[in-house]
Amino acid sequence: MFPAFTLRYVRLPEHFYLRFHPVPVPAPRLVAFNRPLAEELGFDLGAFDEARAAEWFSGNAVPPGAEPIAQAYAGHQFGHFNPRLGDGRAVLLGEVTDRDGRLRDIQLKGAGMTPFSRGADGRAPLGPVLREYLVSEAMHRLGVPTTRALAAVTTGERVFRRVPEPGAVLTRVASSHLRVGTFQYFAARGEHEAVRTLADLAIERHYPQLKSLEEGERYAALLEAAVGRQAALVARWMGLGFIHGVMNTDNCAISGETIDYGPCAFMEAYDPATVFSSIDEQGRYAYRNQPWLAQWNLARLAETLLPLIDADQQRAIERATALVEGFEPRYAAEWLAVFREKLGLVQEEAGDRELAETFLEALQAGRADFTLAFRRLSEAVEDDASALLALFENDAALREWLPRWRERLAREGAGSGEIAARLNAVNPLYIPRNHLVERMIAAAAEQDDFGPFEALREVLAEPFTEQPGREEYAQPAPATERVFRTFCGT
């Protein structure tokens, strides 16, 4: 059933990883399987056997051709450097070439205590597994670069976090699991040739257009490309009200994909200071801080690449500094492009940034739901803004803004129907709302009921399309179900 593995990473020198076989679980059961993604990866679904799949996706059996490893990496966690993290509960089975010729990692998360576990149990609770499955797939449907979820398996055992919970294993698919922290692991040891090996691998997998450049230029261009992708990625997050929650350097992927959906959440009432993660006590990774933390992470990547960019350290620092500082204008342009779209604008005018910022200020003043406020703009293109106004506790700022927006739309040279369709194509109606995710987790963990998971997964597969009878999925949380804290699964 599995496609053939290429084993690119395991062919690197052995200090890049530790060989590790997943630790068997007592009673694996397949509770979610992403058939469209499996087809994309080249799985033979005609030979699909659920019991056998549960064995493979739990780690009880190693798929043919796989050579499981735990990858080595370091990382800054909430600003503090840990020189040795690594896959503490994950195992890379190998890489496969999908039907479009792209190399993709297949990794089990929650596969047992690896040599990098640092005393942890190496397992994953069911709740965080289902959260990552749903949110990563929703992000994919929302057009955000992301790791994907292939399967979820319950293990028949319980793991202990805040309370005992059912155990589970997630099968994650990524363009690669190369992180800023992977580079840091070797740079901190002074192993510059290992950093070069990683840089060449990153270029080969994610930026092949750079391969023909001269050596110093090639590695500077790698940094510049990573800057561009992170700027675009975080701008997409900001346009959805998405808060990652753990933007440590070990969770910053060189590919520009969103990786690690631990305490992530989507903001409801707009407030740039919003924080959900229970472990982010200082608000380091608040919504408004995400762009600047992305740049901070890129500066840490730049530090690892200095010896490759130029043998003269001062010249290398000057070049790398200029490239990292280039994040700010890149991000500003990406942010404006995202919010122009969200306001229905195609043409570019000088006042567009101020128009977008003023709308966000109106949202904050009115404590309006971020997602629904943008969605209801499509109904307010002409005169009827009643559905939009109803979202605001205080609508004075919005009433002042609406005529300016309509005047700006009039210069677009498009009809109201076209603009409304344009707005609905980029502003989702359905997101993984925190209370719905918590309801789904409770049903699965406490009652072994995966009906809410399947229903939510089905809704989120079409986030931009109104689905009659499913109005509840578009609504903010009732006061009794508001989620103020989310928790990591480690």
Side-chain angles (χ1 to χ4, degrees):
M1 184 182 85
F2 261 84
F5 286 99
T6 63
L7 304 175
R8 177 68 178 84
Y9 205 87
V10 81
R11 298 296 176 247
L12 297 177
E14 290 212 2
H15 62 299
F16 282 76
Y17 57 84
L18 293 170
R19 292 183 182 272
F20 168 74
H21 271 249
V23 179
V25 301
R29 175 167 62 107
L30 187 68
V31 294
F33 181 60
N34 191 337
R35 294 184 72 92
L37 177 57
E39 290 176 357
E40 189 179 301
L41 294 171
F43 277 72
D44 178 9
L45 296 184
F48 181 79
D49 178 88
E50 187 169 315
R52 190 62 173 158
E55 293 288 318
W56 281 332
F57 294 132
S58 67
N60 276 18
V62 175
E67 292 186 27
I69 57 171
Q71 292 175 293
Y73 52 84
H76 274 89
Q77 299 184 306
F78 294 89
H80 302 287
F81 185 61
N82 188 327
R84 189 179 189 272
L85 294 172
D87 286 331
R89 58 176 181 153
V91 54
L92 177 68
L93 296 177
E95 305 91 348
V96 301
T97 302
D98 70 15
R99 295 190 186 279
D100 292 328
R102 298 170 298 177
L103 209 57
R104 314 277 286 277
D105 282 5
I106 299 183
Q107 182 198 68
L108 302 182
K109 188 174 179 181
M113 188 185 297
T114 80
F116 292 113
S117 290
R118 305 181 304 284
D121 63 11
R123 293 304 190 188
L126 177 60
V129 164
L130 295 182
R131 178 189 294 273
E132 179 157 353
Y133 192 113
L134 272 182
V135 179
S136 62
E137 286 304 297
M139 292 284 271
H140 172 68
R141 295 286 186 166
L142 289 164
V144 180
T146 178
T147 60
R148 303 283 306 277
L150 179 59
V153 173
T154 54
T155 62
E157 62 186 5
R158 300 188 78 76
V159 298
F160 294 83
R161 297 296 183 265
R162 291 171 294 148
V163 295
E165 301 176 64
V169 178
L170 175 76
T171 303
R172 181 163 73 185
V173 176
S175 294
S176 81
H177 284 85
L178 293 175
R179 315 153 188 264
V180 171
T182 318
F183 286 75
Q184 289 181 294
Y185 180 85
F186 296 102
R189 288 161 171 73
E191 298 183 27
H192 302 308
E193 284 308 308
V195 175
R196 186 189 305 275
T197 297
L198 283 175
D200 289 340
L201 181 61
I203 289 168
E204 177 187 326
R205 290 190 68 160
H206 306 303
Y207 307 100
Q209 71 277 14
L210 308 181
K211 290 168 69 174
S212 61
L213 297 178
E214 299 268 340
E215 186 172 289
E217 285 300 313
R218 186 162 67 245
Y219 301 122
L222 170 61
L223 177 58
E224 184 176 22
V227 165
R229 287 206 187 170
Q230 287 295 320
L233 176 66
V234 176
R236 298 297 301 175
W237 291 358
M238 302 297 276
L240 293 168
F242 175 77
I243 301 169
H244 185 279
V246 277
M247 288 179 65
N248 300 326
T249 57
D250 53 295
N251 294 330
C252 182
I254 301 300
S255 63
E257 291 180 331
T258 313
I259 185 170
D260 199 318
Y261 289 90
C264 68
F266 286 78
M267 182 166 51
E268 291 195 329
Y270 178 71
D271 181 352
T274 301
V275 177
F276 285 99
S277 171
S278 64
I279 56 177
D280 190 2
E281 296 177 355
Q282 305 302 316
R284 178 180 174 88
Y285 299 138
Y287 171 81
R288 66 184 171 197
N289 292 344
Q290 291 182 131
W292 322 125
L293 266 298
Q295 185 181 35
W296 192 90
N297 289 344
L298 289 161
R300 306 290 77 75
L301 174 63
E303 290 166 354
T304 73
L305 296 174
L306 290 176
L308 307 184
I309 291 174
D310 200 303
D312 182 290
Q313 186 179 52
Q314 188 57 41
R315 285 201 303 264
I317 290 172
E318 290 172 1
R319 182 75 185 280
T321 299
L323 292 172
V324 172
E325 288 178 347
F327 175 89
E328 294 185 36
R330 292 287 292 273
Y331 171 73
E334 295 285 357
W335 185 93
L336 184 54
V338 166
F339 280 87
R340 268 200 182 104
E341 276 194 337
K342 291 181 73 66
L343 294 179
L345 308 177
V346 173
Q347 300 173 24
E348 299 180 7
E349 291 190 9
D352 291 346
R353 175 174 294 279
E354 194 269 340
L355 187 69
E357 289 172 344
T358 306
F359 183 60
L360 292 175
E361 289 167 5
L363 292 187
Q364 186 173 7
R367 292 200 52 77
D369 183 82
F370 181 89
T371 300
L372 284 183
F374 276 101
R375 180 71 179 194
R376 297 298 179 227
L377 286 175
S378 66
E379 302 169 32
V381 172
E382 294 186 322
D383 294 330
D384 186 9
S386 56
L388 175 62
L389 290 164
L391 299 173
F392 287 70
E393 293 177 8
N394 177 345
D395 63 15
L398 176 65
R399 288 182 181 276
E400 185 178 331
W401 179 84
L402 277 169
R404 295 177 52 208
W405 175 59
R406 288 170 176 153
E407 182 184 344
R408 172 67 181 83
L409 289 179
R411 297 196 293 275
E412 284 287 302
S416 58
E418 179 184 338
I419 291 173
R422 185 189 295 168
L423 286 161
N424 284 341
V426 298
N427 291 315
L429 180 57
Y430 307 103
I431 57 168
R433 291 188 178 270
N434 307 322
H435 69 292
L436 298 177
V437 172
E438 292 299 325
R439 277 189 207 170
M440 171 274 296
I441 289 172
E446 297 169 15
Q447 303 167 30
D448 197 37
D449 178 5
F450 289 85
F453 169 81
E454 290 296 339
L456 188 52
R457 178 163 70 156
E458 189 174 315
V459 169
L460 295 174
E462 298 291 341
F464 300 101
T465 304
E466 188 165 351
Q467 301 174 42
R470 289 171 162 169
E471 290 77 12
E472 177 188 14
Y473 291 93
Q475 296 306 309
T480 55
E481 289 189 78
R482 288 177 184 158
V483 175
F484 299 103
R485 285 289 176 267
T486 52
F487 298 87
C488 189
T490 53

